[in-house]
Amino acid sequence: MTDWCQERTAREARLERARVHADGKVVPAARVVDLLEAILQPGDRVCLEGDNQKQADCLARGLSACDPARVHDLHMVQSGIVLPEHLDIFEQGIAKRLDYSYSGPQGGRIAKMLYGGQIELGAVHTYLELFARYFIDLTPNVALIAGVSADRDGNLYTGPNTEDTPTVVEATAFKNGVVVAQVNAIVDRVPRVDIPGDRVDFVVEADKPFYVEPLFTRDPGAVTETQILMAMMAIKGIYAEYGIRRLNHGIGFGTAAIELLLPTYAERLGLKGKIATHWALNPHPSLIPAIESGWVSQIHCFGSEVGMDKYIRARPDVFFTGSDGSLRSNRAFCQTAGLYACDLFIGSTLQIDLQGHSSTVTTNRVAGFGGAPNMGSDPHGRRHPSDTWMKAGREAGGTGDPALRRGRKLVVQLVETFGDKLVPAFVERLDALELAKKLNLELAPVMVYADDVTHIVTEEGIANLLLCRTLDEREQAIRGVAGYTEVGRGRDHAEVERLRARGIIRRPEDLGIEPLDADRSLLAARSIKDLVHWSGGLYEPPAKFRNW
């Protein structure tokens, strides 16, 4: 007879070993290592919650302190590699294999470890892709998550930074896995139940509140005139022309500049109510002036942002909030919204090649790409029209019955021709190809594929790749906005001028923009302190952003 309950039996054995360290479901922070060594087995798939922002840091420290003789060869399946402990466990032999999405703060170190063979890489995923695999072939045996508070029955309040937690718990708890949550406090009654207690096996009252990274805060004081010029071109040459109302912004000073120009430059163009009304976006502080000026109708968030809690509570007409008034974020839902419900994604990258492939992998940094491939892709499953989507589809061309012609999502790369330390953003060949060769990867880690990219905006102008009809035209359009990089210097000047005459390449003057007008006086806020004033004192920036 087949035993159909082997996983359930194994789960009960894990729980039985762990119960000696708990009072009901509650485990003291001092017993975290004992708890983890009781529930973990060699070779387990483990999701240690490392989100874009929220980190299960107490559990991460506990895992890194486990005895490698007892806990080893773990397969880590987690969104973000953010904390040092996330990589320490590979150096110590506790973990062996990794499937992940994002590694921004640890991008340099993870590159060295990958090239050095200390990590066996499965794949660098998009967020939705990794979440999907949690339910297919990367289901965690153990999930180590984080929340704000819990009661003694394990009911969990995640607060504004819910992020990945519901997805991780759903996959683990309903497939005979073990869920351990660290919380800032054990309370008699949680403000709202974000994760029911029957899905949480153990709760650890952490030694200090979990770490949250203010990942999406950009100081307006650091926005340059070059970025303002690029933002002006994006607003007038893309947002206005396509009537973009539903959108997602990536992280960066270029997109922050766009947000800060909405109540000023875009207002002068008469665009209020016509663009940028519905967002899939973390609560960027740089969007506060646009919200206060009545530009923004609605925002659904992947996660929260440090210092924005009071402001969000005071603006429930704009944000999704719970009965307690705090933000309700959800990365899986917001990624889906950005994929299917938004007409534009605009973000940045580290490298663009001659076809338009975009990558955040360099020879000394592997940053991953998080949700950008979801936001920055043209979803073939979309079936609802919008004026923006249909216009982009018409520009892309095609034959046959117009009623059967798909629209196109706008995917824009907003990038200065030279990045930090004057490293060129435009290259003949992506470094991602060298990483793939070094690690014997069948698929190079490309963030946004060329056939999804519709526009490239640099300080030199806009390249509308939708209008290109051949690969040669596409290459010259990219070279035509690549500035004084080697790629840009290799342009065919006559062909670039022909593309410009057709509107495929447009310079600032073609858009009626005077580059000298790109001045910081255009910004609705020119400092973090200005953002605080715009919010009526509700925005409470992290200490590192306070300079007054």
Side-chain angles (χ1 to χ4, degrees), residues 221-262:
V223 175
T224 67
E225 291 179 347
T226 297
Q227 291 157 348
I228 293 170
L229 174 62
M230 292 165 59
M232 292 168 70
M233 287 191 284
I235 289 171
K236 194 169 185 180
I238 300 177
Y239 287 47
E241 293 203 2
Y242 291 91
I244 295 159
R245 298 187 62 187
R246 308 183 305 182
L247 69 161
N248 166 259
H249 276 187
I251 308 172
F253 285 100
T255 46
I258 294 174
E259 293 158 14
L260 292 166
L261 289 181
L262 291 177

mmCIF file of all heavy atoms in Angstrom, residues 221-262:
data_model
loop_
_atom_site.group_PDB
_atom_site.id
_atom_site.type_symbol
_atom_site.label_atom_id
_atom_site.label_comp_id
_atom_site.label_asym_id
_atom_site.label_seq_id
_atom_site.Cartn_x
_atom_site.Cartn_y
_atom_site.Cartn_z
ATOM 1 N N GLY A 221 17.780 66.573 -3.513
ATOM 2 C CA GLY A 221 18.996 67.363 -3.578
ATOM 3 C C GLY A 221 20.068 66.749 -4.456
ATOM 4 O O GLY A 221 21.009 67.439 -4.865
ATOM 5 N N ALA A 222 19.956 65.460 -4.743
ATOM 6 C CA ALA A 222 20.957 64.774 -5.562
ATOM 7 C C ALA A 222 20.536 64.638 -7.021
ATOM 8 O O ALA A 222 21.288 64.086 -7.830
ATOM 9 C CB ALA A 222 21.243 63.388 -4.972
ATOM 10 N N VAL A 223 19.335 65.115 -7.374
ATOM 11 C CA VAL A 223 18.879 65.058 -8.764
ATOM 12 C C VAL A 223 19.659 66.080 -9.578
ATOM 13 O O VAL A 223 19.739 67.260 -9.226
ATOM 14 C CB VAL A 223 17.366 65.333 -8.863
ATOM 15 C CG1 VAL A 223 16.921 65.395 -10.323
ATOM 16 C CG2 VAL A 223 16.580 64.250 -8.124
ATOM 17 N N THR A 224 20.239 65.641 -10.692
ATOM 18 C CA THR A 224 21.077 66.504 -11.512
ATOM 19 C C THR A 224 20.286 67.142 -12.650
ATOM 20 O O THR A 224 19.187 66.700 -12.990
ATOM 21 C CB THR A 224 22.248 65.715 -12.119
ATOM 22 O OG1 THR A 224 21.726 64.765 -13.067
ATOM 23 C CG2 THR A 224 23.027 64.973 -11.041
ATOM 24 N N GLU A 225 20.880 68.146 -13.265
ATOM 25 C CA GLU A 225 20.228 68.806 -14.397
ATOM 26 C C GLU A 225 20.137 67.879 -15.601
ATOM 27 O O GLU A 225 19.194 67.964 -16.385
ATOM 28 C CB GLU A 225 20.984 70.092 -14.740
ATOM 29 C CG GLU A 225 20.832 71.158 -13.653
ATOM 30 C CD GLU A 225 21.585 72.432 -13.957
ATOM 31 O OE1 GLU A 225 22.428 72.430 -14.878
ATOM 32 O OE2 GLU A 225 21.328 73.445 -13.264
ATOM 33 N N THR A 226 21.098 66.980 -15.739
ATOM 34 C CA THR A 226 21.028 65.985 -16.819
ATOM 35 C C THR A 226 19.810 65.086 -16.631
ATOM 36 O O THR A 226 19.084 64.781 -17.594
ATOM 37 C CB THR A 226 22.305 65.135 -16.856
ATOM 38 O OG1 THR A 226 23.417 65.979 -17.139
ATOM 39 C CG2 THR A 226 22.212 64.052 -17.921
ATOM 40 N N GLN A 227 19.580 64.653 -15.395
ATOM 41 C CA GLN A 227 18.411 63.812 -15.116
ATOM 42 C C GLN A 227 17.113 64.588 -15.313
ATOM 43 O O GLN A 227 16.110 64.020 -15.763
ATOM 44 C CB GLN A 227 18.514 63.252 -13.690
ATOM 45 C CG GLN A 227 19.643 62.230 -13.546
ATOM 46 C CD GLN A 227 20.139 62.065 -12.123
ATOM 47 O OE1 GLN A 227 19.820 62.858 -11.225
ATOM 48 N NE2 GLN A 227 20.958 61.048 -11.900
ATOM 49 N N ILE A 228 17.118 65.869 -15.000
ATOM 50 C CA ILE A 228 15.928 66.701 -15.225
ATOM 51 C C ILE A 228 15.649 66.814 -16.723
ATOM 52 O O ILE A 228 14.494 66.708 -17.156
ATOM 53 C CB ILE A 228 16.126 68.100 -14.589
ATOM 54 C CG1 ILE A 228 16.174 67.971 -13.063
ATOM 55 C CG2 ILE A 228 15.006 69.047 -15.011
ATOM 56 C CD1 ILE A 228 16.611 69.235 -12.354
ATOM 57 N N LEU A 229 16.689 66.998 -17.528
ATOM 58 C CA LEU A 229 16.511 67.062 -18.977
ATOM 59 C C LEU A 229 15.910 65.760 -19.507
ATOM 60 O O LEU A 229 14.969 65.784 -20.322
ATOM 61 C CB LEU A 229 17.851 67.345 -19.656
ATOM 62 C CG LEU A 229 17.853 67.312 -21.190
ATOM 63 C CD1 LEU A 229 16.921 68.375 -21.755
ATOM 64 C CD2 LEU A 229 19.272 67.484 -21.727
ATOM 65 N N MET A 230 16.442 64.642 -19.060
ATOM 66 C CA MET A 230 15.911 63.352 -19.503
ATOM 67 C C MET A 230 14.461 63.184 -19.071
ATOM 68 O O MET A 230 13.626 62.654 -19.819
ATOM 69 C CB MET A 230 16.786 62.222 -18.947
ATOM 70 C CG MET A 230 18.191 62.193 -19.542
ATOM 71 S SD MET A 230 19.353 61.175 -18.600
ATOM 72 C CE MET A 230 18.547 59.576 -18.667
ATOM 73 N N ALA A 231 14.140 63.623 -17.851
ATOM 74 C CA ALA A 231 12.762 63.539 -17.359
ATOM 75 C C ALA A 231 11.827 64.403 -18.198
ATOM 76 O O ALA A 231 10.685 64.002 -18.501
ATOM 77 C CB ALA A 231 12.712 63.960 -15.893
ATOM 78 N N MET A 232 12.277 65.590 -18.572
ATOM 79 C CA MET A 232 11.467 66.464 -19.427
ATOM 80 C C MET A 232 11.167 65.791 -20.765
ATOM 81 O O MET A 232 10.037 65.828 -21.268
ATOM 82 C CB MET A 232 12.186 67.800 -19.650
ATOM 83 C CG MET A 232 12.301 68.655 -18.398
ATOM 84 S SD MET A 232 13.434 70.054 -18.611
ATOM 85 C CE MET A 232 12.497 71.080 -19.743
ATOM 86 N N MET A 233 12.187 65.161 -21.346
ATOM 87 C CA MET A 233 11.987 64.465 -22.620
ATOM 88 C C MET A 233 11.020 63.295 -22.462
ATOM 89 O O MET A 233 10.157 63.067 -23.330
ATOM 90 C CB MET A 233 13.328 63.975 -23.169
ATOM 91 C CG MET A 233 14.212 65.084 -23.710
ATOM 92 S SD MET A 233 15.636 64.454 -24.644
ATOM 93 C CE MET A 233 16.694 63.885 -23.315
ATOM 94 N N ALA A 234 11.158 62.543 -21.367
ATOM 95 C CA ALA A 234 10.251 61.413 -21.143
ATOM 96 C C ALA A 234 8.805 61.890 -20.995
ATOM 97 O O ALA A 234 7.880 61.308 -21.580
ATOM 98 C CB ALA A 234 10.678 60.633 -19.911
ATOM 99 N N ILE A 235 8.597 62.953 -20.227
ATOM 100 C CA ILE A 235 7.238 63.462 -20.009
ATOM 101 C C ILE A 235 6.624 63.957 -21.313
ATOM 102 O O ILE A 235 5.497 63.599 -21.671
ATOM 103 C CB ILE A 235 7.246 64.586 -18.950
ATOM 104 C CG1 ILE A 235 7.518 63.999 -17.564
ATOM 105 C CG2 ILE A 235 5.919 65.342 -18.944
ATOM 106 C CD1 ILE A 235 7.758 65.046 -16.484
ATOM 107 N N LYS A 236 7.376 64.780 -22.055
ATOM 108 C CA LYS A 236 6.808 65.384 -23.264
ATOM 109 C C LYS A 236 6.815 64.432 -24.452
ATOM 110 O O LYS A 236 5.867 64.414 -25.248
ATOM 111 C CB LYS A 236 7.580 66.659 -23.620
ATOM 112 C CG LYS A 236 6.862 67.520 -24.652
ATOM 113 C CD LYS A 236 7.508 68.889 -24.797
ATOM 114 C CE LYS A 236 6.685 69.763 -25.752
ATOM 115 N NZ LYS A 236 7.308 71.111 -25.910
ATOM 116 N N GLY A 237 7.877 63.628 -24.573
ATOM 117 C CA GLY A 237 8.016 62.778 -25.747
ATOM 118 C C GLY A 237 7.396 61.400 -25.626
ATOM 119 O O GLY A 237 7.193 60.724 -26.640
ATOM 120 N N ILE A 238 7.073 60.973 -24.392
ATOM 121 C CA ILE A 238 6.486 59.633 -24.214
ATOM 122 C C ILE A 238 5.179 59.707 -23.431
ATOM 123 O O ILE A 238 4.121 59.335 -23.944
ATOM 124 C CB ILE A 238 7.488 58.679 -23.527
ATOM 125 C CG1 ILE A 238 8.759 58.538 -24.385
ATOM 126 C CG2 ILE A 238 6.849 57.312 -23.302
ATOM 127 C CD1 ILE A 238 9.834 57.691 -23.762
ATOM 128 N N TYR A 239 5.215 60.222 -22.199
ATOM 129 C CA TYR A 239 4.027 60.254 -21.363
ATOM 130 C C TYR A 239 2.893 61.016 -22.039
ATOM 131 O O TYR A 239 1.745 60.546 -22.095
ATOM 132 C CB TYR A 239 4.324 60.898 -20.004
ATOM 133 C CG TYR A 239 5.148 60.058 -19.056
ATOM 134 C CD1 TYR A 239 6.309 59.413 -19.478
ATOM 135 C CD2 TYR A 239 4.776 59.927 -17.721
ATOM 136 C CE1 TYR A 239 7.067 58.660 -18.602
ATOM 137 C CE2 TYR A 239 5.538 59.174 -16.837
ATOM 138 C CZ TYR A 239 6.680 58.548 -17.280
ATOM 139 O OH TYR A 239 7.427 57.803 -16.421
ATOM 140 N N ALA A 240 3.197 62.219 -22.554
ATOM 141 C CA ALA A 240 2.152 63.046 -23.168
ATOM 142 C C ALA A 240 1.671 62.442 -24.478
ATOM 143 O O ALA A 240 0.459 62.398 -24.749
ATOM 144 C CB ALA A 240 2.678 64.462 -23.404
ATOM 145 N N GLU A 241 2.597 61.957 -25.304
ATOM 146 C CA GLU A 241 2.230 61.475 -26.626
ATOM 147 C C GLU A 241 1.404 60.197 -26.577
ATOM 148 O O GLU A 241 0.548 59.972 -27.433
ATOM 149 C CB GLU A 241 3.478 61.275 -27.473
ATOM 150 C CG GLU A 241 4.173 62.596 -27.794
ATOM 151 C CD GLU A 241 5.037 62.503 -29.027
ATOM 152 O OE1 GLU A 241 5.068 61.426 -29.669
ATOM 153 O OE2 GLU A 241 5.683 63.512 -29.349
ATOM 154 N N TYR A 242 1.659 59.357 -25.586
ATOM 155 C CA TYR A 242 0.910 58.100 -25.484
ATOM 156 C C TYR A 242 -0.232 58.186 -24.475
ATOM 157 O O TYR A 242 -0.993 57.228 -24.329
ATOM 158 C CB TYR A 242 1.848 56.954 -25.098
ATOM 159 C CG TYR A 242 2.832 56.569 -26.185
ATOM 160 C CD1 TYR A 242 4.081 57.168 -26.251
ATOM 161 C CD2 TYR A 242 2.514 55.612 -27.136
ATOM 162 C CE1 TYR A 242 4.997 56.828 -27.235
ATOM 163 C CE2 TYR A 242 3.421 55.248 -28.131
ATOM 164 C CZ TYR A 242 4.658 55.866 -28.171
ATOM 165 O OH TYR A 242 5.559 55.520 -29.159
ATOM 166 N N GLY A 243 -0.358 59.295 -23.759
ATOM 167 C CA GLY A 243 -1.421 59.438 -22.765
ATOM 168 C C GLY A 243 -1.327 58.395 -21.668
ATOM 169 O O GLY A 243 -2.318 57.749 -21.311
ATOM 170 N N ILE A 244 -0.141 58.251 -21.098
ATOM 171 C CA ILE A 244 0.111 57.174 -20.137
ATOM 172 C C ILE A 244 -0.487 57.517 -18.780
ATOM 173 O O ILE A 244 -0.045 58.453 -18.106
ATOM 174 C CB ILE A 244 1.624 56.932 -19.996
ATOM 175 C CG1 ILE A 244 2.176 56.420 -21.323
ATOM 176 C CG2 ILE A 244 1.907 55.929 -18.878
ATOM 177 C CD1 ILE A 244 3.655 56.620 -21.467
ATOM 178 N N ARG A 245 -1.466 56.754 -18.358
ATOM 179 C CA ARG A 245 -2.090 56.970 -17.052
ATOM 180 C C ARG A 245 -1.748 55.858 -16.065
ATOM 181 O O ARG A 245 -1.695 56.075 -14.877
ATOM 182 C CB ARG A 245 -3.611 57.082 -17.209
ATOM 183 C CG ARG A 245 -4.049 58.266 -18.070
ATOM 184 C CD ARG A 245 -5.550 58.429 -18.056
ATOM 185 N NE ARG A 245 -6.029 58.708 -16.714
ATOM 186 C CZ ARG A 245 -7.322 58.770 -16.384
ATOM 187 N NH1 ARG A 245 -8.255 58.569 -17.289
ATOM 188 N NH2 ARG A 245 -7.677 59.033 -15.134
ATOM 189 N N ARG A 246 -1.545 54.645 -16.543
ATOM 190 C CA ARG A 246 -1.299 53.491 -15.669
ATOM 191 C C ARG A 246 0.152 53.065 -15.846
ATOM 192 O O ARG A 246 0.559 52.662 -16.929
ATOM 193 C CB ARG A 246 -2.242 52.345 -16.032
ATOM 194 C CG ARG A 246 -3.711 52.772 -16.083
ATOM 195 C CD ARG A 246 -4.634 51.622 -16.381
ATOM 196 N NE ARG A 246 -4.294 50.917 -17.605
ATOM 197 C CZ ARG A 246 -4.987 49.885 -18.101
ATOM 198 N NH1 ARG A 246 -6.060 49.461 -17.457
ATOM 199 N NH2 ARG A 246 -4.627 49.304 -19.210
ATOM 200 N N LEU A 247 0.931 53.122 -14.754
ATOM 201 C CA LEU A 247 2.367 52.969 -14.938
ATOM 202 C C LEU A 247 3.080 52.480 -13.683
ATOM 203 O O LEU A 247 2.523 52.471 -12.592
ATOM 204 C CB LEU A 247 2.981 54.294 -15.378
ATOM 205 C CG LEU A 247 3.028 55.459 -14.371
ATOM 206 C CD1 LEU A 247 4.066 56.488 -14.815
ATOM 207 C CD2 LEU A 247 1.675 56.147 -14.230
ATOM 208 N N ASN A 248 4.332 52.094 -13.919
ATOM 209 C CA ASN A 248 5.251 51.728 -12.842
ATOM 210 C C ASN A 248 6.579 52.412 -13.087
ATOM 211 O O ASN A 248 7.064 52.462 -14.220
ATOM 212 C CB ASN A 248 5.461 50.212 -12.792
ATOM 213 C CG ASN A 248 6.647 49.826 -11.923
ATOM 214 O OD1 ASN A 248 7.728 49.536 -12.435
ATOM 215 N ND2 ASN A 248 6.468 49.842 -10.626
ATOM 216 N N HIS A 249 7.171 52.966 -12.042
ATOM 217 C CA HIS A 249 8.504 53.541 -12.093
ATOM 218 C C HIS A 249 9.484 52.633 -11.396
ATOM 219 O O HIS A 249 9.213 52.150 -10.289
ATOM 220 C CB HIS A 249 8.537 54.899 -11.383
ATOM 221 C CG HIS A 249 8.107 56.044 -12.236
ATOM 222 N ND1 HIS A 249 8.207 57.359 -11.826
ATOM 223 C CD2 HIS A 249 7.576 56.085 -13.484
ATOM 224 C CE1 HIS A 249 7.757 58.156 -12.786
ATOM 225 N NE2 HIS A 249 7.363 57.410 -13.793
ATOM 226 N N GLY A 250 10.648 52.417 -12.003
ATOM 227 C CA GLY A 250 11.719 51.727 -11.328
ATOM 228 C C GLY A 250 12.418 52.648 -10.335
ATOM 229 O O GLY A 250 12.042 53.802 -10.150
ATOM 230 N N ILE A 251 13.468 52.107 -9.709
ATOM 231 C CA ILE A 251 14.238 52.894 -8.743
ATOM 232 C C ILE A 251 15.241 53.753 -9.505
ATOM 233 O O ILE A 251 15.843 53.305 -10.464
ATOM 234 C CB ILE A 251 15.007 51.976 -7.784
ATOM 235 C CG1 ILE A 251 14.089 50.950 -7.152
ATOM 236 C CG2 ILE A 251 15.708 52.775 -6.705
ATOM 237 C CD1 ILE A 251 14.824 49.893 -6.339
ATOM 238 N N GLY A 252 15.445 54.962 -9.078
ATOM 239 C CA GLY A 252 16.499 55.771 -9.673
ATOM 240 C C GLY A 252 16.209 57.253 -9.580
ATOM 241 O O GLY A 252 15.075 57.670 -9.339
ATOM 242 N N PHE A 253 17.248 58.045 -9.793
ATOM 243 C CA PHE A 253 17.085 59.494 -9.746
ATOM 244 C C PHE A 253 16.385 60.014 -10.991
ATOM 245 O O PHE A 253 15.741 61.056 -10.948
ATOM 246 C CB PHE A 253 18.445 60.167 -9.554
ATOM 247 C CG PHE A 253 18.969 60.049 -8.153
ATOM 248 C CD1 PHE A 253 19.920 59.095 -7.828
ATOM 249 C CD2 PHE A 253 18.506 60.887 -7.155
ATOM 250 C CE1 PHE A 253 20.406 58.978 -6.532
ATOM 251 C CE2 PHE A 253 18.969 60.776 -5.849
ATOM 252 C CZ PHE A 253 19.927 59.821 -5.538
ATOM 253 N N GLY A 254 16.495 59.294 -12.099
ATOM 254 C CA GLY A 254 15.812 59.718 -13.314
ATOM 255 C C GLY A 254 14.305 59.664 -13.167
ATOM 256 O O GLY A 254 13.587 60.620 -13.522
ATOM 257 N N THR A 255 13.798 58.561 -12.614
ATOM 258 C CA THR A 255 12.356 58.459 -12.411
ATOM 259 C C THR A 255 11.902 59.370 -11.270
ATOM 260 O O THR A 255 10.784 59.903 -11.307
ATOM 261 C CB THR A 255 11.953 57.001 -12.131
ATOM 262 O OG1 THR A 255 12.843 56.429 -11.164
ATOM 263 C CG2 THR A 255 11.994 56.176 -13.406
ATOM 264 N N ALA A 256 12.756 59.566 -10.253
ATOM 265 C CA ALA A 256 12.423 60.523 -9.195
ATOM 266 C C ALA A 256 12.257 61.921 -9.788
ATOM 267 O O ALA A 256 11.378 62.689 -9.386
ATOM 268 C CB ALA A 256 13.497 60.525 -8.112
ATOM 269 N N ALA A 257 13.106 62.257 -10.760
ATOM 270 C CA ALA A 257 12.994 63.558 -11.414
ATOM 271 C C ALA A 257 11.648 63.699 -12.123
ATOM 272 O O ALA A 257 11.004 64.756 -12.065
ATOM 273 C CB ALA A 257 14.139 63.749 -12.403
ATOM 274 N N ILE A 258 11.197 62.637 -12.788
ATOM 275 C CA ILE A 258 9.878 62.676 -13.437
ATOM 276 C C ILE A 258 8.792 62.949 -12.402
ATOM 277 O O ILE A 258 7.913 63.807 -12.606
ATOM 278 C CB ILE A 258 9.600 61.353 -14.174
ATOM 279 C CG1 ILE A 258 10.569 61.172 -15.346
ATOM 280 C CG2 ILE A 258 8.149 61.309 -14.672
ATOM 281 C CD1 ILE A 258 10.456 59.828 -16.031
ATOM 282 N N GLU A 259 8.852 62.242 -11.281
ATOM 283 C CA GLU A 259 7.843 62.420 -10.233
ATOM 284 C C GLU A 259 7.827 63.853 -9.711
ATOM 285 O O GLU A 259 6.761 64.434 -9.472
ATOM 286 C CB GLU A 259 8.118 61.419 -9.104
ATOM 287 C CG GLU A 259 7.905 59.967 -9.514
ATOM 288 C CD GLU A 259 8.643 58.957 -8.663
ATOM 289 O OE1 GLU A 259 9.123 59.325 -7.570
ATOM 290 O OE2 GLU A 259 8.763 57.790 -9.094
ATOM 291 N N LEU A 260 9.007 64.429 -9.584
ATOM 292 C CA LEU A 260 9.114 65.784 -9.043
ATOM 293 C C LEU A 260 8.786 66.864 -10.074
ATOM 294 O O LEU A 260 8.575 68.027 -9.718
ATOM 295 C CB LEU A 260 10.517 66.013 -8.483
ATOM 296 C CG LEU A 260 10.860 65.193 -7.236
ATOM 297 C CD1 LEU A 260 12.357 65.230 -6.957
ATOM 298 C CD2 LEU A 260 10.081 65.703 -6.015
ATOM 299 N N LEU A 261 8.711 66.489 -11.346
ATOM 300 C CA LEU A 261 8.352 67.445 -12.399
ATOM 301 C C LEU A 261 6.860 67.434 -12.730
ATOM 302 O O LEU A 261 6.387 68.317 -13.449
ATOM 303 C CB LEU A 261 9.141 67.146 -13.679
ATOM 304 C CG LEU A 261 10.636 67.458 -13.675
ATOM 305 C CD1 LEU A 261 11.248 67.120 -15.024
ATOM 306 C CD2 LEU A 261 10.909 68.909 -13.334
ATOM 307 N N LEU A 262 6.138 66.448 -12.214
ATOM 308 C CA LEU A 262 4.706 66.376 -12.530
ATOM 309 C C LEU A 262 3.953 67.637 -12.098
ATOM 310 O O LEU A 262 3.185 68.200 -12.887
ATOM 311 C CB LEU A 262 4.084 65.121 -11.901
ATOM 312 C CG LEU A 262 4.518 63.777 -12.509
ATOM 313 C CD1 LEU A 262 3.887 62.619 -11.737
ATOM 314 C CD2 LEU A 262 4.156 63.684 -13.987
#
